[in-house]
């Protein structure tokens, strides 16, 4: 017999809810910029490492490579990034942040920081550190399957 499932305490549900809260807070904080968290992440990644190709950029911000093209197109239409064909492989597109894109990304650092602070405000400093450590451990284990703990299936 299957035991009752407490959906409200399911880690996946709580992570999804926390993500929804995070996006909502970001959209409030960055409302004046009209930028999504993914767009902000891409701009920051290009500031850190200009000239990345689209697939690498998508991977770096943990976003679906197929969908990233539309996000990149929106950033390009705003004049915040430029896209050029790679000299060795013309099918591969390399990306650079423009001066205007960098200015916007730098202005958005404060709203992004405020988002993080508001998200974890209900937690003590020790709880904040523990949350970040545990989430980092969880993500790292699932991104590197050979490092993940081995489980035995009950099927």
């Amino acid at each position: 017999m299957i035991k009752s499932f407490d959906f409200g305490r399911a880690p996946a549900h709580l992570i999804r809810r926390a993500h929804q809260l995070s996006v909502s807070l970001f959209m409030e904080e960055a409302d004046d910029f009209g930028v999504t968290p993914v767009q902000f992440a891409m701009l920051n990644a290009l500031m850190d490492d200009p000239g990345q190709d689209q697939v690498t950029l998508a991977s770096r911000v943990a976003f679906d490579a197929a969908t990233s093209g539309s996000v990149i197109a929106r950033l390009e239409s705003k004049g915040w990034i430029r896209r050029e064909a790679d000299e060795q492989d013309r099918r591969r597109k390399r990306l650079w942040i423009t001066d205007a894109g960098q200015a916007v990304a730098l202005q958005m650092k404060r709203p992004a920081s405020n988002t993080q602070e508001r998200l974890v405000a209900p937690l003590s400093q020790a709880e904040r550190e523990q949350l970040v450590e545990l989430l980092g451990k969880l993500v790292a284990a699932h991104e590197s399957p050979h490092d993940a703990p081995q489980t035995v299936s009950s099927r």
Side-chain angles (χ1 to χ4, degrees), residues 65-79:
T67 312
S68 69
S70 62
V71 176
I72 290 166
R74 281 191 291 281
L75 292 171
E76 189 177 30
S77 72
K78 291 179 178 187

Side-chain angles (χ1 to χ4, degrees), residues 55 131 152:
V55 173
L131 175 66
V152 178

Side-chain angles (χ1 to χ4, degrees), residues 148-155:
Q150 298 299 312
T151 58
V152 178
S153 175
S154 60
R155 288 188 181 180

Side-chain angles (χ1 to χ4, degrees), residues 21-35:
L21 291 167
S22 175
V23 170
S24 177
L25 292 170
F26 181 89
M27 297 309 285
E28 285 176 20
E29 289 289 336
D31 185 50
D32 294 343
F33 298 96
V35 173

Side-chain angles (χ1 to χ4, degrees), residues 58-114:
S59 174
R60 187 134 181 243
V61 299
F63 199 68
D64 176 72
T67 312
S68 69
S70 62
V71 176
I72 290 166
R74 281 191 291 281
L75 292 171
E76 189 177 30
S77 72
K78 291 179 178 187
W80 293 348
I81 64 169
R82 64 183 168 83
R83 187 175 3 192
E84 296 177 6
D86 185 284
E87 291 182 14
Q88 284 80 30
D89 181 353
R90 305 295 293 168
R91 297 168 297 176
R92 183 176 172 213
K93 303 298 181 198
R94 296 174 53 103
L95 306 163
W96 285 266
I97 191 167
T98 65
D99 290 344
Q102 184 163 332
V104 167
L106 290 173
Q107 290 172 5
M108 290 184 61
K109 295 248 184 207
R110 173 60 51 207
S113 179
N114 291 347

Side-chain angles (χ1 to χ4, degrees), residues 32-52:
D32 294 343
F33 298 96
V35 173
T36 68
V38 171
Q39 291 171 337
F40 178 66
M42 286 186 172
L43 290 172
N44 273 281
L46 287 173
M47 277 196 308
D48 293 343
D49 189 14
Q52 298 177 57

